[in-house]
C-alpha cells in the first residue's frame, strides 16, 4: 500500500518557508501543490486551507495563543510558533477533531526534534480547546487595535482605513478579505470561444459559472489541480480576477496598438491585452525583478502569445525610447492597498463610455516616498495619468476622494478616462455624476 504524504507536515514546512525566507505565500503553496499533485483532492484541499488560513489569520491567532502561552508567540521558536498556529486554526476554524489537532501537533514536534517542547505544545492547545467558547476579545475602545486583531491586519493599515472610511466601513472592508473567493478565469479568445471552453470544462467534471460582467469570464470549482485540466495546459484560459479583466476591457485596446504594462507579473493584464490585439500590435511587459519576469515568461509559454515581449525594468527609470509611442499604459502599482470589498458588489457597467488612452493604477501610498517618481515616469509616456482616487459605497455615494493638483481642463479630461485595477473603481452612469460634479468645482 502506497504511503500517504503527511499534509500537516507539508503545511508546517510551507509556513516556516513563508516566515523565515519571506517567500510569497501563493508561491510557496503552489510549489508544494505542484510537488503533491497526485495526492488525494481532499488532502490537497486540507493543506491549502490550513496554509492560507494560518497566513490570513496570523495576527488573530497570535493574540489568542498569547493568552494561553507563558511564552509570547514572537519569542517561540519558528517551528513551535507555526505548529501552535496550525493547531489553533484547526481548532477554531476547521472541521477537525480537537483531539486530532492537538495530537498531530505534538507528533510533529517530536518528529522534528522538539520532543522536550511537545508538552508545551500540547498544554497550550488543550487549554485553547477548553476555553474556545470563552475566547478573549480585543478592547473595543481602541478602534485601531480592535480592528487589527479581529481581522488580522497590521495596525498601520487598520489606522489608515479607519481614518479614511470610518470604523464601520473599515470592518466591512477587512471582513471581505477573509471571505472565500471563487477561482475566476478568462477565456483565451485567440484559442477558443467562451461556449467551447465552458463545454470542455464541464465535460472534464469542472463546475462552471458565468462571471458577473464579462462574457468570457467564468468562475470554476470542483477541481483538484489546474495542471491536470487539458484546457489549462493548452493555454485556453488564464486564472485572472474579473475586476482585473475589467481593467483591460475598458482600456479601449485596438488592433495594432502598442501596449506597455509596467508592473506586469504574473501577466494577467499583459496577456489579456495581447488577446485583444488579435495578433496585431505588441505588448511590452515589464517588471522589476528577474523572478517576476520569469513568472510572466512561464505564462507566455503556456498561453502561446507571440506579440508579447518581456523585459526586466524598473518603472521609476525613464525610458526615452518609448516617449510618445505608447497607446495604452497599464500600471497596476502595488505600493499601497486595494479595496477588495468593491469587487464583490454588483456594479452597473456602462458599455457606451467612450474611452481614450489612459493609465490604470491602484492607490499609491505616499508614505513610500515613490509617488512623485512614478508620476513623472508615467507622464513622460505621454498618457493620461489618473491622479484621482475615488471610492463609492454600495449606493454609488462618494465616500472617499483623494485629489492632486490638476487644472480645470485636466479635470474634465479625466472624465474621459476610467480607473479600475484589481479591486478599485469602475465608472458607471451613476458614478459619472460625481466625476462631473467634482470637475465643475
Amino acid at each position: 500500500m502506497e504511503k500517504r504524504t503527511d499534509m500537516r507536515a507539508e503545511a508546517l514546512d510551507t509556513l516556516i518557508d513563508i516566515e523565515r525566507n519571506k517567500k510569497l505565500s501563493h508561491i510557496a503553496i503552489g510549489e508544494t501543490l505542484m510537488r503533491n499533485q497526485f495526492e488525494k483532492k481532499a488532502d490537497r484541499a486540507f493543506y491549502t486551507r490550513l496554509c492560507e488560513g494560518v497566513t490570513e489569520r496570523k495576527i488573530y491567532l497570535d493574540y489568542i495563543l498569547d493568552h494561553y502561552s507563558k511564552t509570547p508567540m514572537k519569542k517561540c521558536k519558528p517551528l513551535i510558533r507555526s505548529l501552535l498556529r496550525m493547531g489553533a486554526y484547526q481548532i477554531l476554524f476547521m472541521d477537525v477533531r480537537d483531539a486530532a489537532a492537538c495530537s498531530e501537533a505534538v507528533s510533529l514536534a517530536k518528529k522534528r526534534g522538539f520532543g522536550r517542547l511537545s508538552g508545551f505544545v500540547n498544554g497550550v492547545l488543550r487549554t485553547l480547546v477548553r476555553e474556545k467558547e470563552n475566547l478573549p476579545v480585543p478592547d473595543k475602545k481602541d478602534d485601531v487595535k480592535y480592528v487589527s486583531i479581529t481581522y488580522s491586519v497590521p495596525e498601520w493599515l487598520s489606522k489608515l482605513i479607519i481614518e479614511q472610511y470610518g470604523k464601520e466601513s473599515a470592518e466591512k472592508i477587512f471582513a471581505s478579505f477573509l471571505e472565500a473567493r471563487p477561482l475566476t478565469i478568462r477565456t483565451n479568445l485567440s484559442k477558443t470561444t467562451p461556449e467551447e471552453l465552458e463545454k470542455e470544462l464541464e465535460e472534464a467534471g469542472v463546475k462552471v459559472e458565468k462571471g458577473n460582467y464579462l462574457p468570457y469570464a467564468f468562475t470554476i470549482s470542483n477541481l483538484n489541480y489546474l495542471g491536470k485540466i487539458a484546457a489549462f495546459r493548452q493555454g485556453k484560459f488564464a486564472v485572472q480576477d474579473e475586476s482585473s479583466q475589467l481593467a483591460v476591457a475598458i482600456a479601449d485596446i485596438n488592433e495594432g496598438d502598442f501596449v506597455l504594462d509596467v508592473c506586469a507579473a504574473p501577466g494577467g493584464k499583459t496577456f489579456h491585452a495581447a488577446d485583444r490585439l488579435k495578433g496585431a500590435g505588441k505588448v511590452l511587459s515589464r517588471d522589476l525583478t528577474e523572478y517576476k519576469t520569469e513568472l510572466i515568461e512561464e505564462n507566455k509559454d503556456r498561453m502561446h502569445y507571440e506579440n508579447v515581449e518581456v523585459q526586466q525594468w524598473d518603472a521609476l527609470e525613464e525610458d526615452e525610447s518609448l516617449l510618445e509611442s505608447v497607446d495604452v499604459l497599464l500600471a497596476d502599482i502595488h505600493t499601497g492597498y486595494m479595496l477588495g470589498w468593491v469587487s464583490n458588489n454588483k456594479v452597473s457597467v456602462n458599455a457606451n463610455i467612450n474611452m481614450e488612452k489612459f493609465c490604470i493604477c491602484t492607490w499609491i501610498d505616499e508614505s513610500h516616498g515613490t509617488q512623485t517618481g512614478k508620476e513623472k515616469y508615467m507622464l513622460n509616456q505621454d498618457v493620461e495619468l489618473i491622479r484621482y482616487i475615488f471610492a463609492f459605497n454600495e449606493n454609488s455615494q462618494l465616500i472617499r476622494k483623494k485629489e492632486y493638483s490638476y487644472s480645470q481642463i485636466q479635470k474634465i479630461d479625466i472624465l474621459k478616462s476610467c480607473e479600475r485595477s484589481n479591486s478599485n473603481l469602475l465608472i458607471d452612469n451613476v458614478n459619472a455624476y460625481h466625476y462631473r460634479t467634482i470637475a465643475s468645482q
Side-chain angles (χ1 to χ4, degrees):
M1 183 177 177
E2 188 175 349
K3 185 179 179 181
R4 290 176 61 181
T5 301
D6 184 348
M7 298 310 286
R8 282 187 175 87
E10 294 286 350
L12 177 61
D13 291 336
T14 298
L15 293 170
I16 292 173
D17 192 19
I18 292 169
E19 185 168 12
R20 179 179 292 163
N21 300 319
K22 307 302 180 186
K23 185 174 286 188
L24 296 175
S25 60
H26 71 282
I27 299 297
I29 293 170
E31 290 173 350
T32 302
L33 289 174
M34 173 76 78
R35 192 172 64 251
N36 292 282
Q37 60 182 283
F38 299 112
E39 295 298 322
K40 290 183 178 181
K41 180 180 177 180
D43 291 341
R44 289 163 46 82
F46 174 86
Y47 160 83
T48 302
R49 167 120 187 247
L50 185 54
C51 288
E52 291 180 347
V54 170
T55 302
E56 290 174 348
R57 303 264 188 179
K58 183 169 62 176
I59 293 174
Y60 177 74
L61 294 173
D62 284 358
Y63 170 80
I64 295 297
L65 288 165
D66 279 344
H67 277 76
Y68 304 120
S69 170
K70 293 181 179 179
T71 305
M73 288 302 102
K74 63 182 180 181
K75 293 187 177 182
C76 287
K77 294 182 181 299
L79 185 138
I80 298 300
R81 182 166 55 241
S82 294
L83 273 178
L84 288 171
R85 288 170 178 167
M86 286 170 54
Y89 185 79
Q90 291 171 77
I91 292 166
L92 298 177
F93 298 106
M94 294 182 73
D95 186 18
V96 174
R97 290 186 303 109
D98 293 339
C102 296
S103 62
E104 291 295 331
V106 170
S107 176
L108 275 172
K110 292 177 179 178
K111 288 178 181 177
R112 298 300 178 90
F114 288 89
R116 61 187 180 83
L117 292 176
S118 61
F120 167 72
V121 171
N122 186 60
V124 172
L125 294 180
R126 296 281 180 189
T127 303
L128 175 59
V129 170
R130 290 195 303 271
E131 300 293 331
K132 68 176 180 178
E133 303 300 329
N134 239 341
L135 295 175
V137 178
D139 184 2
K140 292 187 177 182
K141 293 179 181 179
D142 187 337
D143 289 349
V144 171
K145 186 165 289 188
Y146 173 80
V147 170
S148 169
I149 294 170
T150 302
Y151 301 101
S152 272
V153 295
E155 284 193 19
W156 67 265
L157 183 56
S158 172
K159 182 174 183 292
L160 183 66
I161 300 299
I162 290 173
E163 287 176 350
Q164 294 179 355
Y165 296 96
K167 180 174 177 288
E168 184 178 350
S169 292
E171 289 198 69
K172 290 180 180 178
I173 292 171
F174 293 134
S176 75
F177 291 173
L178 299 173
E179 293 174 359
R181 300 241 194 276
L183 184 63
T184 308
I185 64 172
R186 174 184 57 81
T187 308
N188 182 354
L189 299 177
S190 303
K191 287 183 171 290
T192 188
T193 66
E195 295 76 19
E196 290 171 347
L197 177 62
E198 183 177 12
K199 181 181 178 182
E200 183 175 350
L201 290 174
E202 288 177 340
E203 289 176 349
V206 178
K207 182 179 179 181
V208 184
E209 295 182 12
K210 288 180 169 54
N212 292 321
Y213 308 114
L214 300 170
Y216 46 79
F218 298 100
T219 60
I220 60 174
S221 57
N222 193 36
L223 67 151
N224 183 1
Y225 174 59
L226 271 177
K228 290 184 177 180
I229 301 175
F232 178 76
R233 296 196 305 271
Q234 295 163 4
K236 293 182 180 179
F237 71 87
V239 175
Q240 185 180 9
D241 186 81
E242 193 170 6
S243 55
S244 175
Q245 296 179 44
L246 279 164
V248 178
I250 64 174
D252 193 30
I253 297 172
N254 301 302
E255 292 183 45
D257 277 349
F258 176 26
V259 180
L260 174 62
D261 189 352
V262 294
C263 302
K269 294 183 183 67
T270 284
F271 302 117
H272 190 185
D275 205 20
R276 295 181 72 86
L277 291 175
K278 299 180 180 179
K282 176 184 177 181
V283 180
L284 179 55
S285 184
R286 288 176 164 178
D287 217 309
L288 182 62
T289 65
E290 182 179 0
Y291 169 72
K292 290 186 175 183
T293 55
E294 284 177 351
L295 290 177
I296 303 171
E297 290 282 7
E298 286 178 11
N299 284 312
K300 178 185 174 182
D301 290 343
R302 184 179 61 81
M303 301 291 285
H304 306 293
Y305 284 113
E306 300 297 330
N307 58 341
V308 173
E309 180 183 353
V310 183
Q311 290 182 352
Q312 183 179 341
W313 189 278
D314 184 350
L316 292 177
E317 296 296 324
E318 184 176 327
D319 186 353
E320 294 184 356
S321 68
L322 297 182
L323 293 181
E324 301 184 10
S325 66
V326 175
D327 295 305
V328 177
L329 171 64
L330 302 178
D332 184 3
I333 303 166
H334 294 284
T335 53
Y337 62 87
M338 289 170 289
L339 307 177
W341 67 290
V342 179
S343 66
N344 293 325
N345 293 330
K346 303 291 185 183
V347 181
S348 173
V349 180
N350 176 11
N352 297 318
I353 291 176
N354 180 30
M355 296 297 164
E356 297 187 359
K357 60 183 182 177
F358 65 97
C359 165
I360 304 161
C361 66
T362 57
W363 173 268
I364 304 173
D365 186 358
E366 296 121 78
S367 66
H368 285 73
T370 58
Q371 187 165 336
T372 301
K374 282 185 167 62
E375 288 185 0
K376 178 176 182 294
Y377 172 79
M378 292 171 187
L379 290 171
N380 280 340
Q381 304 313 308
D382 193 33
V383 297
E384 298 286 348
L385 173 64
I386 298 172
R387 292 192 191 176
Y388 288 87
I389 307 297
F390 297 94
F392 299 87
N393 65 16
E394 62 272 16
N395 298 317
S396 294
Q397 295 171 327
L398 183 65
I399 58 175
R400 167 70 179 158
K401 179 186 74 174
K402 177 69 178 179
E403 181 178 348
Y404 302 101
S405 69
Y406 248 65
S407 69
Q408 182 76 359
I409 294 176
Q410 288 171 319
K411 286 181 181 181
I412 296 172
D413 285 342
I414 287 174
L415 300 182
K416 300 174 184 177
S417 299
C418 170
E419 176 190 13
R420 171 91 190 201
S421 177
N422 276 359
S423 314
N424 283 346
L425 281 295
L426 178 66
I427 195 170
D428 64 14
N429 281 328
V430 179
N431 291 345
Y433 166 78
H434 297 288
Y435 280 75
R436 287 193 293 271
T437 301
I438 293 166
S440 66
Q441 293 175 353

